Amino acid sequence: MLSRRNFLTAAVGVAAAGGLAACAKEDDSSTGSSSTGGAKTITLGFSQVGSESGWRSANTTSVKDAAKEAGYNLKFSDAQQKQENQISAIRNYIAQKVDVIAFSPVVVTGWDAVLKEAKAAKIPVVLTDRSVETSDDSLYVTLVGSDFTDEGRRAAKILEKVLTKAGHKGAVKIAQLEGTTGAAPAIERAKGFKEIMDAEHKADWKIVVSQTGDFTRAGGKQVMAAFLQSNPDVNVLFAHNDDMAIGAIQAIEAAGKKPGTDILIVSIDGVKDGFVAMSEGKINAIVECNPLLGPQLMDVVKKVKDGETVERWIKTEESDFMQDQAKAALPSRKY
Ligand code: GYE
């Protein structure tokens, strides 16, 4: 285990030993190094995945707002969906001797080297949103985020309801729009969905086509257009996020079909635009994945900095929504 007592309570504003990779965006919402009540301001280095989706924008806002609220000195950088940018951001935070590093890893593998560097520098690492696969459990302290496998299972369970509600008879031919290849939510949502499908619907459900849309609207639109060409008999779309579902809706309409009727759609996230599409009858059900992780993350960062023991996985609480709940739920959606 990491020895958390000896973490450097580094002076805030230490000059960076090197610049971030040119293509990564960095900002520093420093609240200054002034301390209140004698305690040093916590400096948190946060490496975000990118800005690929509505979920991500809400997550970024939540992290920035919560850091401000907590009075932390937040060093934030956007990796634009590139692992090499995240690795250089993390190296930069190590060089700056931040108190804690938090990051949402774009993919699950390939982190051991940089995480070992953080450990050697005695800087604790908190994962947020997405997990990593590592050979050494001591390389990060905790994960604050959702259970994506369960979200995949919930998507399959809610599809059962959608099919019943639509009075669907016959074969269920599913197109799957996967998230970013190698990312935890893409791997685990596919796994959870398949688990229920294989256990309970082997005879009548089949994923006839499946490809990544990289969690973006443009990706969802482009890949769905190709699916409709190669598999015009698809009657269900399972999209790993709302943005890809929204892009796919455009492709479905362009092909002269009715989303939500000719092709039943289930997606994950529950962002406002997803709810709008659902209230228009174009998405049939959404499995919520909560991006408002900022406040929980700041709590954990403080505990980790103070050497307190935290749970290995701090899970997010979420709900599921059918189309008939969309209109009522829309005004109270926070992201
Ligand atoms: O579902 C998707 C985003 O990691 C949970 O990433 C997150 C996913 C989210 O791009 O919209």
Side-chain angles (χ1 to χ4, degrees):
M1 259 322 271
L2 292 171
S3 144
R4 295 199 204 100
R5 292 197 182 282
N6 298 330
F7 289 135
L8 296 168
T9 43
V12 178
V14 171
L20 274 184
C23 45
K25 287 190 225 150
E26 187 189 23
D27 63 60
D28 186 344
S29 50
S30 169
T31 50
S33 59
S34 62
S35 50
T36 40
K40 271 226 171 84
T41 305
I42 295 176
T43 298
L44 171 66
F46 184 90
S47 168
Q48 180 60 290
V49 171
S51 37
E52 73 283 1
S53 64
W55 191 99
R56 190 63 54 197
S57 313
N59 180 249
T60 292
T61 304
S62 173
V63 168
K64 287 185 174 175
D65 288 354
K68 202 167 183 192
E69 175 81 8
Y72 296 178
N73 173 23
L74 176 70
K75 294 178 179 297
F76 180 95
S77 69
D78 172 342
Q80 302 180 350
Q81 297 241 69
K82 292 201 175 69
Q83 183 171 34
E84 72 253 32
N85 289 348
Q86 286 201 294
I87 291 174
S88 37
I90 294 168
R91 290 212 165 109
N92 208 11
Y93 296 145
I94 296 170
Q96 292 179 56
K97 298 186 167 59
V98 300
D99 295 311
V100 179
I101 291 171
F103 80 114
S104 176
V106 59
V107 291
V108 291
T109 56
W111 301 103
D112 278 19
V114 75
L115 292 180
K116 279 180 187 154
E117 291 167 31
K119 187 180 176 183
K122 297 192 167 57
I123 300 175
V125 173
V126 173
L127 301 181
T128 172
D129 163 31
R130 300 184 182 177
S131 58
V132 299
E133 271 167 26
T134 168
S135 56
D136 176 355
D137 275 356
S138 76
L139 294 180
Y140 71 90
V141 183
T142 181
L143 162 68
V144 180
S146 305
D147 183 338
F148 300 135
T149 309
D150 199 51
E151 289 174 353
R153 291 187 197 111
R154 283 158 50 205
K157 294 310 279 180
I158 210 159
L159 176 57
E160 292 170 357
K161 285 196 201 162
V162 165
L163 291 165
T164 307
K165 195 141 187 275
H168 183 90
K169 301 261 175 304
V172 177
K173 297 182 179 176
I174 305 166
Q176 177 171 240
L177 277 170
E178 301 161 28
T180 302
T181 305
I187 298 168
E188 292 164 16
R189 286 170 182 169
K191 183 174 151 224
F193 188 88
K194 189 167 181 300
E195 189 185 299
I196 299 294
M197 194 175 83
D198 288 352
E200 297 171 27
H201 303 285
K202 222 172 175 108
D204 50 339
W205 293 18
K206 193 164 186 249
I207 295 180
V208 293
V209 68
S210 182
Q211 212 180 295
T212 181
D214 212 14
F215 279 133
T216 65
R217 281 188 198 199
K221 185 177 178 184
Q222 193 191 329
V223 175
M224 190 68 202
F227 284 172
L228 292 167
Q229 292 276 325
S230 62
N231 297 75
D233 55 346
V234 153
N235 48 29
V236 166
L237 168 65
F238 168 39
H240 287 185
N241 78 344
D242 292 345
D243 281 85
M244 291 192 294
I246 291 165
I249 286 168
Q250 294 169 16
I252 293 166
E253 287 174 338
K257 293 191 175 181
K258 236 181 141 194
T261 308
D262 298 331
I263 298 183
L264 302 170
I265 303 180
V266 171
S267 68
I268 301 182
D269 273 358
V271 294
K272 226 171 222 154
D273 286 352
F275 267 80
V276 169
M278 192 156 65
S279 68
E280 291 167 353
K282 296 178 180 181
I283 292 181
N284 301 80
I286 292 180
V287 168
E288 184 182 44
C289 177
N290 190 352
L292 307 180
L293 305 177
Q296 252 175 325
L297 175 63
M298 299 313 145
D299 273 6
V300 170
V301 163
K302 169 120 186 36
K303 287 190 179 143
V304 167
K305 163 88 175 25
D306 291 347
E308 283 179 41
T309 310
V310 296
E311 277 176 69
R312 187 72 180 155
W313 185 3
I314 298 158
K315 285 193 200 178
T316 322
E317 298 215 343
E318 296 158 343
S319 326
D320 301 330
F321 296 89
M322 291 286 284
Q323 209 171 66
D324 49 13
Q325 298 166 279
K327 278 210 173 80
L330 190 53
S332 60
R333 296 303 293 166
K334 291 199 181 67
Y335 50 89

